[in-house]
Amino acid sequence: MSLLLVASLLAVLGPAGAAHAATAGNVTGVSRSGDTFTVTASGGAAARVTVARADIFRIWLSPDGTFGNDPAGTDLAVNTGFGTVGASLTDAGSYWRIGTSAISLRINKSPLTFALYKADNSTLVWAESQPTSWTGTQTTQHLGRGGDEQFYGTGLHLGEWALRGRTVPISVSNTWTENSNASPAPFYMSTNGYGVMRNTWAPGSYDFGAPTALTHNEKRFDAWYFAGGSLKDVLDGYTDVTGKPFLAPIWGLELGNADCFNASNPAYTGDHNRLRHQTTPDVAGYAADARAADMPSGWLLPNDGYGCGYTGLPGTVADLKSKGFNTGLWTSTGLGDINWEIGTAGSRAVKTDVAWIGGGYKSAFAGVRQAVAGIEDNSDARRFVWTLDGWAGTQRNAVVWTGDTSGTWDAMRWHVPSIAGAGLSGLNYASGDIDGIFGGSPKTYVRDLQWKALTPAFMTMSGWGATNPSAGYNDKQPWRFPDPYLSINRKYLQLKMRLMPYLYTMSKVANDTGVPSTRAMVLEYPDDPVARGNLTSGQFMAGDSFLVAPVVSDTSTRDGIYLPEGSWTDYWTGRVYTGPGWLDGYSAPLDTLPLFVKSGGIVPMWPQMNYTGEKPLGTLTYDVYPRGNSSFDLYEDDGTTRAYQSGAYARQQVDVTAPASGTGDVTLSVGAPTGSYTGKPASRGYEFTVHSAEAPASVKVGATTLAALSSKAAYDGASTGWYFDPADRSGVLWIKTGSTGGAFTVTAAGITVPAGTPVTASAPIPQTGWKLAYTDSQETAGENGGAANAFDGSAGTIWHSKYTSASAPLPHEIQIDLGARYGVDSATYLPRQDGGVNGRIGRYEIYVSDSTTSWGTPVATGTFADTAAAKKVAFAAKPGRYLRLRALTEAGNRGPWTSAAEITATGNPSP
C-alpha cells in the first residue's frame, strides 16, 4: 500500500477507532416549544436544547431521535424550573442561533455541531471541533481548546487541580492514590467562562488536550451548561441546578474521630484485646482524655461495621453529650436501624463505608440520601454524612473524603491540591484522614493537622495506624502524643475553635453561592496567570482572608509560597509582605504553619473553648488588618437545627475604612445584628485587635473617648479601654468597647498601616516541560529508580544510581532539559522520603548552560547535610536551558550511590 493511500485513509478515518463511531449528520430542521428547541438531523438522530435560564441550558443528543431514555432523571439536576426565559431563535444561514440576554448558542447546520458565544454572538466561549460521536458503548464530545484555556473540576480528584493537558478518570476505582478520583463528578469548568455537567450515572474520562475529548460510557449525550463571567458565577449556576452545598451543624466543623469501641464482639475482624475499646461505652474514656488534655474536639463515631457493632448506644450518646461530644455511627453494612439510632438513641452523624457503597454511582448516591433522610426524618438535626464515591450533587448531601490513605509526606503533598480542588466542583466539605488511616508519625500528624484545621471538616481514624512507629505514637488521637507534638496539636485545634465564626460564615457563603470555604488560588485571583495553574496547587485560601501554605516535607523552611497582588500579613509575626511574587526561605519550624492574612481582612473570633457551647459567647472579637475599605458579613444561627432554612438566623455587617498606606484614621462600623434565632444573645461585648505599626492618637466609640491603658494586664482587667502593644505581632491595638445589642462605630485616630516588604518575582520553573537530558547511572532493574523520577512532581518516587549489578563509582550526575530557556536562580534538592538514607548527596556542584556539551563553571558548590530535609541552593541568576547536578560524595559515606526524590528550580523565562 502506498504511503499516499495510507495518509488518505487516515485523513478519512480520523483518530484510532473513529471509523466505528457515528455522528448525527447535517441539520434538517429546528422547531420550538417555548424555551425548548428540537433539532433533527439527516442521520436519524435528534438534539433537544432546553434553555432553563438566560445563563443555563441543556443539550440532549439522542442517536435514535427519541428522548425517552433519561437514566439520571432529576437525581442530579434537581432545580431547573427558573421560569420562562423567552429565548430567541434565528436562522443565520449556516447556523441557527438561540439567544438570551447572557448567551448565543449556535447550531451549525453542516454538520451538526454546537458553539457557545456570549450574548454578543461574537465572543467565543466554546465550540465543538467535530461532531459529537458515539459507538454502542461510548459517546464523546470534542471541543477546541483555547491558547491559554485552563480547566478545573471533576470532583474530588486526587492530585493537582489545574487539568489542562491531563486525562482525568470520571469513574470509581477505590484505589485512593494520586491521579485517581475518590469522589468523581461529571463536571468541569473553564477559564473561558463556562461549566458543564454531564447528566449521567455512566463512568467516563475527560481528556483536556487539544482538542478536548469528553467521553462517557453510554450511547447518548446529555449535558447541562452554565455560563458566567467568572468561575464563581459558574459554581453558582452549577449549584443552583444540582443543589447548594449543605450547611453542616457547627459541631461538624470541630475535630471528629472514628474507631471501633466494641472489640469484644466475636464478629469483630480486628484486635479483640484492645484496651478501653471492649464495649461502646468505653468511648467515654477517650472523650474524658480529650477534655483532660484541654484538647478541642466535637464528635466521635464509636462504631465500625466490620463485625464491631455497638452496645449501650443511648447511654453512650448521653455520656458523650455531657462531655461536649456528639455521636455518629460508621457503617459498612447499611442503615437498617437508623430510625431508632437517630430518633431514640440520639445519634447525629453517619459515615458510609466502601464495603457498603463502594459500587459508586447511583447506588452510592442513594445510600447517602438514605443516611440524610435517616437523620432529618427522625430529628430536627441537620444532615452530617461522610462518604466517598460521591458524584455530581453530592455537595448537597455529604462530606467527601480521600479514602484509605497512608500517613506519609508524599500523600500529604497531593492531599493539599486534592482538597482545595474539590471546591472547584462545589464540594465545600472535603477532607482526608489526619495522618492517613495507615502508618504515620508524630511529625506527619502534626503537619497534617495544622493545615486541615483551616478547612471546614476534618477527622482522625484511629485503630489502623502502626503500633508505636516512633516514641510517643499510639494512635491517631491528637492528645495521645508527648510534647512538643501534644502542644502543637492543641495550638491548632484551639485556633480552629477561635476561628469558628469565621469558618462557619464561610460555609454559609458556600451554602448560598456554591463558592467553597477552602479555595484554590484561582477562585480568588482568576486573572493572575500564576494563580490559574498548578504552581499554586500547594497552597490555598481559607475563606476570603487567609492564605495557607502547608509544609509537606520534613523541613523547617518553606519555599515557593506565592503571594498575589496586595499586602499579606504573617499571622504569627505581623510582618507584612507585598506581592505579587514568591516568598522563599520562610521559617516554619514544626509548630508553625505558614499562614497569611490578606490586606483588609476582618476575622471574627470566639473566646477560647474546647467545644461549641462550652462557654457563653459573651464577647466577640474582630481581628482587623486595616488597609483601604473592606467588609465582613457575619452569619449566625442556632448551629444544630434546620430552623435557619425557615429564616431563623442573624447577620452582622462590619465595615472598615482605613488608609491604603501611611497614617490616617481607621473607622470600624459595626452594624446591629439583624434577624433572630433561638439562643441569640440580646447583647454582647466586643473586642478588636487592629494591626498597626504605631499607637493611635485616640480611640473613640461613637463620641465617647476610651481610656488609654498602661499595660496589657490593665487592659485585661478593664471592661472598656484600649492598649497598644508594639511587641505583639509587630504592633497590635487592643480595643474593648463594652456590651451592646445595637450598632456602633469605633474610630482609631492616627493608625499607621504597616509597610510591606516586596517579595521576589522569581518563580518555580514548571516541571511539566522537563525532560531527562543525561544521567551517568540509574537503577531500572531492581526497582524503578529511573532518573526521570527526580523531576516527576512526586516525592514518593526516587532516582537512584545503579546498584543491582556493578555499582558505578561516584561522582554521579543528572542533566535536565528545562524545556525552555530560563534565568535560573536557585535549585532545590529533596532527598528520598521513603525512609531510606543511602544515596543522600554530600558534596555537590550545580551548573546552568545553553548546551550539554559546554557547561562552564558551576553556579554553586557546597556540601549537603545528611538529613531528609529539602536543601535549597540560591545563586546569581544564570540563563540557560539545561540544569546539571553533580553528586561528588555520598553524605553518610555509605557507598558509591546517589538518590533524589525531587529536584526543582526557580527562575524567570529568558529570551
Side-chain angles (χ1 to χ4, degrees):
M1 184 181 293
S2 71
L3 291 176
L4 180 60
L5 179 59
V6 171
S8 299
L9 284 172
L10 287 175
V12 172
L13 294 177
H20 304 291
T23 62
N26 297 331
V27 174
T28 58
V30 178
S31 62
R32 72 177 297 170
S33 175
D35 289 316
T36 297
F37 305 83
T38 301
V39 183
T40 55
S42 58
R48 178 177 290 172
V49 178
T50 301
V51 182
R53 204 169 73 186
D55 57 345
I56 297 174
F57 61 93
R58 178 186 186 184
I59 298 178
W60 182 357
L61 176 62
S62 170
D64 64 7
T66 65
F67 297 96
N69 178 26
D70 187 5
T74 59
D75 291 332
L76 309 182
V78 294
N79 303 309
T80 58
F82 300 106
T84 300
V85 179
S88 63
L89 178 65
T90 306
D91 187 343
S94 62
Y95 64 89
W96 290 87
R97 174 178 174 258
I98 297 173
T100 75
S101 60
I103 57 102
S104 292
L105 179 67
R106 294 186 184 183
I107 307 168
N108 297 309
K109 295 180 179 180
S110 180
L112 169 59
T113 58
F114 292 92
L116 181 66
Y117 290 77
K118 292 187 177 181
D120 61 12
N121 197 31
S122 61
T123 305
L124 180 66
V125 178
W126 59 259
E128 291 182 330
S129 58
Q130 63 187 78
T132 294
S133 59
W134 59 84
T135 66
T137 58
Q138 289 186 330
T139 302
T140 301
Q141 184 187 37
H142 313 269
L143 298 181
R145 191 181 73 180
D148 64 347
E149 186 177 8
Q150 187 57 269
F151 303 91
Y152 316 104
T154 75
L156 180 53
H157 168 68
L158 303 186
E160 294 179 326
W161 43 255
L163 304 176
R164 179 183 172 93
R166 302 188 181 207
T167 300
V168 181
I170 314 298
S171 58
V172 172
S173 63
N174 294 321
T175 54
W176 311 310
T177 55
E178 189 173 12
N179 297 319
S180 67
N181 217 322
S183 279
F187 167 80
Y188 75 90
M189 59 181 176
S190 159
T191 51
N192 276 12
Y194 76 95
V196 187
M197 181 194 72
R198 292 284 278 268
N199 194 42
T200 180
W201 290 114
S205 176
Y206 294 172
D207 176 0
F208 295 107
T212 63
L214 309 158
T215 301
H216 279 275
N217 297 345
E218 60 181 357
K219 191 180 177 181
R220 61 189 296 274
F221 176 85
D222 188 355
W224 284 91
Y225 292 83
F226 315 95
S230 68
L231 295 174
K232 289 183 177 181
D233 288 344
V234 173
L235 284 177
D236 196 18
Y238 168 61
T239 55
D240 278 346
V241 170
T242 62
K244 296 298 183 186
F246 76 103
L247 183 62
I250 198 163
W251 54 262
L253 276 65
E254 300 169 20
L255 179 68
N257 179 266
D259 200 358
C260 174
F261 282 92
N262 192 27
S264 62
N265 187 342
Y268 177 51
T269 58
D271 178 7
H272 289 278
N273 298 315
R274 289 185 70 194
L275 295 176
R276 303 177 71 191
H277 289 72
Q278 290 301 292
T279 61
T280 305
D282 285 351
V283 71
Y286 265 40
D289 289 347
R291 299 299 177 238
D294 193 25
M295 192 73 73
S297 49
W299 51 282
L300 291 158
L301 298 177
N303 175 39
D304 173 12
Y306 294 93
C308 181
Y310 54 78
T311 62
L313 185 60
T316 300
V317 170
D319 198 359
L320 289 178
K321 195 69 176 177
S322 71
K323 296 177 174 61
F325 284 87
N326 283 273
T327 306
L329 296 175
W330 168 12
T331 176
S332 66
T333 56
L335 300 168
D337 296 320
I338 193 169
N339 293 347
W340 177 85
E341 293 164 347
I342 300 294
T344 300
S347 182
R348 287 294 182 266
V350 172
K351 176 182 174 294
T352 68
D353 192 274
V354 67
W356 169 36
I357 54 88
Y361 311 107
K362 189 169 184 176
S363 64
F365 202 86
V368 169
R369 288 199 297 196
Q370 183 187 358
V372 167
I375 294 171
E376 296 192 349
D377 290 351
N378 293 285
S379 72
D380 65 355
R382 304 176 196 176
R383 62 194 67 181
F384 193 59
V385 178
W386 282 60
T387 195
L388 39 70
D389 297 341
W391 198 248
T394 293
Q395 75 275 357
R396 68 181 186 257
N397 291 325
V399 182
V400 294
W401 96 102
T402 57
D404 294 349
T405 60
S406 295
T408 65
W409 294 113
D410 193 51
M412 198 187 313
R413 171 192 58 80
W414 57 256
H415 266 81
V416 176
S418 301
I419 292 173
L424 296 170
S425 294
L427 293 160
N428 182 55
Y429 301 98
S431 190
D433 301 329
I434 295 173
D435 203 33
I437 185 174
F438 304 119
S441 69
K443 279 188 176 181
T444 51
Y445 190 97
V446 162
R447 285 300 197 190
D448 210 28
L449 180 126
Q450 284 175 355
W451 69 270
K452 286 176 179 170
L454 274 294
T455 66
F458 61 154
M459 179 173 67
T460 64
M461 294 277 283
S462 297
W464 282 264
T467 302
N468 295 321
S470 59
Y473 191 96
N474 292 285
D475 59 18
K476 301 289 185 175
Q477 299 283 7
W479 51 85
R480 290 174 62 83
F481 294 87
D483 273 326
Y485 313 109
L486 176 70
S487 296
I488 300 172
N489 291 338
R490 181 187 298 113
K491 171 182 175 179
Y492 286 92
L493 292 174
Q494 288 181 339
L495 176 63
K496 176 71 176 279
M497 289 303 301
R498 290 220 65 196
L499 293 176
M500 194 67 77
Y502 172 81
L503 292 170
Y504 190 59
T505 296
M506 291 299 109
S507 282
K508 181 56 179 169
V509 170
N511 179 245
D512 289 339
T513 69
V515 176
S517 178
T518 303
R519 302 173 186 173
M521 298 301 295
V522 68
L523 271 182
E524 293 301 299
Y525 298 92
D527 298 324
D528 185 321
V530 176
R532 286 163 62 110
N534 286 318
L535 287 178
T536 61
S537 68
Q539 61 187 63
F540 60 88
M541 295 293 294
D544 52 24
S545 291
F546 285 104
L547 189 154
V548 187
V551 178
V552 295
S553 64
D554 188 6
T555 181
S556 59
T557 301
R558 176 62 155 88
D559 290 328
I561 301 171
Y562 182 70
L563 301 179
E565 184 176 4
S567 297
W568 299 87
T569 302
D570 185 323
Y571 186 74
W572 309 111
T573 68
R575 183 176 179 182
V576 177
Y577 300 90
T578 57
W582 297 89
L583 178 60
D584 288 335
Y586 180 88
S587 178
L590 191 61
D591 69 341
T592 301
L593 168 72
L595 183 63
F596 304 85
V597 186
K598 183 180 179 180
S599 60
I602 304 169
V603 181
M605 302 180 76
W606 277 355
Q608 189 65 68
M609 63 185 79
N610 285 328
Y611 58 91
T612 303
E614 181 187 26
K615 299 176 183 177
L617 302 177
T619 299
L620 184 66
T621 298
Y622 279 101
D623 190 25
V624 180
Y625 298 77
R627 193 179 297 268
N629 299 334
S630 57
S631 63
F632 189 88
D633 186 14
L634 176 70
Y635 173 84
E636 299 173 290
D637 60 25
D638 67 23
T640 57
T641 76
R642 301 191 300 279
Y644 77 96
Q645 296 174 342
S646 302
Y649 60 85
R651 291 188 179 274
Q652 182 176 46
Q653 179 82 16
V654 178
D655 297 305
V656 175
T657 303
S661 61
T663 300
D665 294 350
V666 171
T667 302
L668 315 172
S669 299
V670 181
T674 60
S676 182
Y677 59 89
T678 300
K680 177 189 173 186
S683 64
R684 61 187 170 201
Y686 289 88
E687 181 177 57
F688 300 87
T689 50
V690 181
H691 295 258
S692 173
E694 302 290 343
S698 65
V699 178
K700 292 182 178 181
V701 178
T704 303
T705 300
L706 293 182
L709 302 168
S710 60
S711 67
K712 187 59 165 57
Y715 171 86
D716 291 339
S719 58
T720 64
W722 64 270
Y723 172 70
F724 180 75
D725 187 348
D728 183 3
R729 290 164 287 173
S730 302
V732 173
L733 169 63
W734 294 78
I735 305 171
K736 284 183 183 176
T737 64
S739 182
T740 182
F744 63 96
T745 299
V746 178
T747 303
I751 289 291
T752 300
V753 174
T757 301
V759 292
T760 177
S762 178
I765 299 174
Q767 291 176 297
T768 52
W770 293 16
K771 296 179 181 179
L772 178 67
Y774 170 76
T775 183
D776 70 300
S777 181
Q778 57 182 328
E779 178 57 54
T780 56
E783 62 178 339
N784 181 13
N789 290 338
F791 51 89
D792 63 355
S794 171
T797 61
I798 65 170
W799 162 44
H800 200 292
S801 59
K802 193 73 175 174
Y803 69 87
T804 53
S805 57
S807 298
L810 285 159
H812 297 306
E813 69 176 82
I814 184 171
Q815 299 176 13
I816 300 170
D817 178 356
L818 302 178
R821 198 168 191 256
Y822 292 88
V824 184
D825 57 21
S826 82
T828 298
Y829 163 65
L830 180 68
R832 57 193 300 180
Q833 301 290 296
D834 59 358
V837 295
N838 72 57
R840 289 177 179 169
I841 296 175
R843 286 196 299 117
Y844 65 86
E845 295 175 343
I846 298 173
Y847 299 79
V848 175
S849 177
D850 284 318
S851 167
T852 58
T853 59
S854 178
W855 288 100
T857 59
V859 294
T861 61
T863 303
F864 291 136
D866 187 15
T867 67
K871 283 87 174 166
K872 181 175 181 178
V873 181
F875 41 82
K878 181 178 180 182
R881 176 166 178 153
Y882 299 95
L883 177 70
R884 179 193 193 194
L885 173 62
R886 294 190 74 214
L888 306 181
T889 65
E890 204 265 11
N893 294 316
R894 300 175 184 92
W897 303 305
T898 294
S899 62
E902 281 295 293
I903 297 169
T904 57
T906 64
N908 291 309
S910 179

